Amino acid sequence: QVQLVESGGGLVQPGGSLRLSCTVSGFTSNYYTVGWFRQAPGKEREGISCFSNFDGSTYYTGSVKGRFTISRDNAENTVYLQMNSLKPEDTAIYYCATEVGRTVCSVVGDYYDYWGPGTQVTVSS
């Protein structure tokens, strides 16, 4: 059974940094993609970044490009989201999602079948 667990959320001041982790398990394929999403109170879920384990390709939406970076640790089956220069508008619950057998990643939620429970990120002084 495919499972995902996020960690690394918390409270940080504006301009600060956090690193989120997404550990995936329950499958052995090298072809999988991971998407990062967030949902702020009263707002729709927003896809912000994604990664393909097939070729290491990444994608970032305009709201996070230049501030957030995806990386991976294959040995730990973990994908990280390094978040720098955080702003109050980055406050949200952050989710990772995975789809096995795909080679191209997406920031569209319907693309993914498996989701983690989410981790809260709060940016406030």
Side-chain angles (χ1 to χ4, degrees):
Q1 183 177 357
V2 178
Q3 292 186 321
L4 300 90
V5 178
E6 304 100 336
S7 62
L11 172 65
V12 64
Q13 293 186 342
S17 299
L18 282 174
R19 188 178 75 161
L20 305 183
S21 302
C22 175
T23 300
V24 299
S25 62
F27 63 92
T28 57
S29 174
N30 286 326
Y31 297 163
Y32 67 92
T33 62
V34 173
W36 282 100
F37 298 80
R38 66 186 181 185
Q39 189 165 20
K43 294 189 177 181
E44 292 187 355
R45 184 180 61 195
E46 174 191 16
I48 57 173
S49 185
C50 68
F51 164 81
S52 168
N53 197 58
F54 172 68
D55 59 3
S57 60
T58 58
Y59 174 81
Y60 304 93
T61 58
S63 59
V64 304
K65 193 172 184 179
R67 299 189 298 125
F68 292 9
T69 304
I70 278 186
S71 63
R72 66 176 164 178
D73 182 336
N74 275 340
E76 298 294 331
N77 290 331
T78 299
V79 175
Y80 300 100
L81 184 68
Q82 178 67 44
M83 306 187 297
N84 298 329
S85 302
L86 283 163
K87 306 174 183 179
E89 51 264 43
D90 293 318
T91 295
I93 299 175
Y94 283 69
Y95 302 90
C96 64
T98 193
E99 186 63 23
V100 182
R102 302 279 186 106
T103 58
V104 177
C105 74
S106 172
V107 292
V108 175
D110 290 346
Y111 190 82
Y112 297 93
D113 285 334
Y114 304 101
W115 292 78
T119 185
Q120 176 71 47
V121 171
T122 303
V123 185
S124 174
S125 55

